[in-house]
């Protein structure tokens, strides 16, 4: 087996183990393979192992790597998991199926305008800064409810999920639990929480999507 296939098998085994305890079916969580910094050859390896959902954190890098693959694999689903600048909105809308990182009013407005113009709307999720970290993107937890209402009412934007990145070095579970509480309260059914270090905790606490880079592909350069 390739190391990729071994890594994937280990993740699936861990989800199965944890799923028994948490009474969750591993089928109910989607692996988002995070391919930032990795070449197209690694993406193809993942596609050949059956993965179809991918994440990139930079628009430019995704625009260089993915269009040809999207032609070849029509069921490929691409997620933006990094910050989106307003001047990249146009590119992002044609490239990504899911934008996980909507986090501010100016971006919502740019998205709404551009969606109107091109008539294509990707799935939109909000990034929440559960740790109140000043340097980190994301809406503060107590701003989310109003922001959602505002986006729906004024710009007709449909938002269906939340994502978070807990502060480094902290126990992730309170952050995941908070994210889930906010989602439930607002009727959002997608939860992107958990990375290589903490995906099994994310899964236990209700993640529908876990974002895995290192656990699948090994260390980035
Ligand atoms: C890079 C990245 C990941 C994947 O990180 P790993 O620790 O390598 O699994 C997940 N989410 C976001 C937002 C990232 O930028």
């Amino acid at each position: 087996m390739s190391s990729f296939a071994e890594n994937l098998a280990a993740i699936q085994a861990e989800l199965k183990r944890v799923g028994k305890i948490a009474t969750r079916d591993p089928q109910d969580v989607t692996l988002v393979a995070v391919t930032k910094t990795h070449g197209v050859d690694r993406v193809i390896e993942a596609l050949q192992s059956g993965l179809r959902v991918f994440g990139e954190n930079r628009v430019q890098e995704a625009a260089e790597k993915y269009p040809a693959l999207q032609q070849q694999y029509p069921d490929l689903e691409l997620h933006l998991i990094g910050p989106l600048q307003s001047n990249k909105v146009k590119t992002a809308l044609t490239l990504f199926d899911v934008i996980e990182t909507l986090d501010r009013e100016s971006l919502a407005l740019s998205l709404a305008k551009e969606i109107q113009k091109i008539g294509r709307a990707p799935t939109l999720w909000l990034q929440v800064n559960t740790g109140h970290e000043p340097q980190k993107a994301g809406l503060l937890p107590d701003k989310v409810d109003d922001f959602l209402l505002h986006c729906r009412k004024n710009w007709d934007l449909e938002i269906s999920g939340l994502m978070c990145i807990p502060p480094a070095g902290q126990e992730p579970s309170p952050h995941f639990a908070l994210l889930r509480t906010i989602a439930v309260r607002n009727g959002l059914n997608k939860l992107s929480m958990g990375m290589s270090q903490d995906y099994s905790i994310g899964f236990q606490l209700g993640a529908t999507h876990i974002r895995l880079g290192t656990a699948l592909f090994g260390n980035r350069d």
Side-chain angles (χ1 to χ4, degrees):
M1 263 204 294
S2 73
S3 65
F4 180 86
E6 279 172 9
N7 290 345
L8 180 58
I11 292 161
Q12 284 165 339
E14 171 64 6
L15 292 173
K16 199 171 159 193
R17 183 189 73 79
V18 170
K20 283 203 184 109
I21 303 163
T23 60
R24 284 206 69 197
D25 187 343
Q27 304 284 358
D28 295 340
V29 71
T30 300
L31 273 55
V32 181
V34 178
T35 53
K36 64 189 186 199
T37 78
H38 296 301
V40 170
D41 53 327
R42 307 300 306 278
V43 184
I44 290 171
E45 193 179 8
L47 282 160
Q48 285 170 346
S49 297
L51 297 189
R52 286 296 180 273
V53 185
F54 294 86
E56 282 281 336
N57 69 334
R58 291 177 57 239
V59 176
Q60 191 52 43
E61 186 176 342
E64 284 159 19
K65 274 151 68 172
Y66 276 90
L69 292 169
Q70 288 170 320
Q71 290 282 321
Q72 210 182 334
Y73 295 87
D75 57 343
L76 191 160
E77 183 179 300
L78 186 60
H79 291 222
L80 178 64
I81 60 170
L84 177 56
Q85 263 75 56
S86 289
N87 64 355
K88 298 266 171 66
V89 161
K90 210 182 217 164
T91 314
L93 283 189
T94 53
L95 189 60
F96 293 98
D97 303 290
V98 181
I99 293 174
E100 298 197 13
T101 52
L102 173 54
D103 66 347
R104 60 191 189 279
E105 187 152 337
S106 59
L107 179 58
L109 183 57
S110 309
L111 283 166
K113 278 188 186 156
E114 209 56 43
I115 286 168
Q116 282 269 323
K117 236 189 268 171
I118 69 166
R120 177 187 195 267
T123 297
L124 299 175
W125 300 347
L126 297 183
Q127 182 173 354
V128 183
N129 186 352
T130 56
H132 294 79
E133 293 174 280
Q135 83 289 2
K136 198 170 266 176
L139 285 156
L140 293 177
D142 64 353
K143 303 281 185 220
V144 173
D145 298 22
D146 281 349
F147 187 82
L148 280 166
L149 279 178
H150 192 60
C151 285
R152 281 185 185 142
K153 213 171 62 182
N154 298 325
W155 301 317
D156 206 21
L157 282 180
E158 266 313 314
I159 293 160
S160 56
L162 301 176
M163 79 86 95
C164 75
I165 309 168
Q170 277 189 31
E171 176 60 44
S173 30
H175 298 275
F176 294 159
L178 173 61
L179 198 70
R180 181 176 166 164
T181 302
I182 300 170
V184 168
R185 184 166 77 213
N186 287 286
L188 306 174
N189 56 18
K190 301 296 182 200
L191 276 175
S192 172
M193 53 188 205
M195 307 174 27
S196 293
Q197 292 298 326
D198 52 17
Y199 70 85
S200 94
I201 301 169
F203 176 55
Q204 287 178 63
L205 292 177
T208 61
H209 291 72
I210 49 179
R211 307 179 308 271
L212 302 175
T214 314
L216 277 172
F217 298 103
N219 288 327
R220 288 179 288 273
D221 293 334

